[in-house]
């Protein structure tokens, strides 16, 4: 269970919804259910204590109870404060990392590996979490006004690809001298 607990902690940190506050009861409850859905799939696909063919429902329920307890300020207030502080402390580095990954994805030779709906910060987990509808109207509005950094970067990089398609279609990874 130790490895499963570590993976849970990493996921709580990495997928914490942007803007979610500790005192947002409905937001925390929705996040907890997303985590439980991810956790079930993760535990079963790892095939260490549970699997799709032979689910260990008692073990899974203990894991789900831990996830819910960690997201309950009545039971884990100190943990939630420390997690929230860590998320705030690492936000700038996480943003920079996301922008670098985005730039690489859109500038390497070939067809960019992109998914509709990930033009904004995307902290989706597994099915069905990653299949939520894309709000295209929101993205269009943001492009017209003050687009977030990732969306603005994607727009600029796609324009660059359109202006110089030969570089991206025929380019390679060799350094020129």
């Amino acid at each position: 269970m130790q490895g499963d607990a570590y993976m849970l902690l990493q996921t709580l940190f990495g997928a914490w919804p942007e803007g979610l506050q500790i005192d947002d009861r409905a937001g925390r409850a929705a996040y907890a259910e997303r985590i439980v859905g991810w956790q079930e799939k993760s535990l079963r696909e790892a095939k260490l204590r549970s699997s799709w063919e032979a689910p260990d429902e008692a073990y899974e329920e203990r894991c789900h109870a831990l996830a819910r307890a960690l997201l309950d300020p009545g039971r884990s207030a100190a943990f939630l404060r420390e997690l929230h502080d860590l998320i705030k402390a690492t936000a700038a580095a996480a943003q920079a990392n996301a922008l670098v990954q985005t730039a690489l994805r859109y500038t390497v030779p070939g067809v960019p590996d992109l998914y509709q709906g990930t033009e904004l910060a995307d902290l989706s987990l597994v099915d069905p979490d990653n299949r939520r509808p894309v709000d295209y109207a929101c993205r269009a509005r943001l492009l017209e006004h003050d687009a977030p950094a990732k969306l603005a970067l994607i727009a600029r990089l796609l324009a660059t690809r359109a202006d110089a398609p030969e570089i991206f279609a025929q380019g390679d990874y060799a350094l020129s001298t």
Side-chain angles (χ1 to χ4, degrees), residues 50-114:
S50 192
S51 70
W52 293 108
E53 297 79 23
D56 183 342
E57 293 175 3
Y59 178 72
E60 290 177 7
E61 190 48 48
R62 288 192 306 274
C63 291
H64 300 336
L66 174 60
R68 288 184 178 108
L70 288 172
L71 291 169
D72 178 356
R75 298 177 67 191
S76 303
F79 168 77
L80 283 170
R81 278 193 306 276
E82 288 181 23
L83 177 61
H84 205 255
D85 289 348
L86 178 61
I87 290 166
K88 286 193 302 189
T90 58
Q95 168 87 0
N97 187 41
L99 293 175
V100 167
Q101 288 181 33
T102 298
L104 287 171
R105 190 174 301 117
Y106 284 80
T107 57
V108 297
V111 177
D113 182 17
L114 56 103

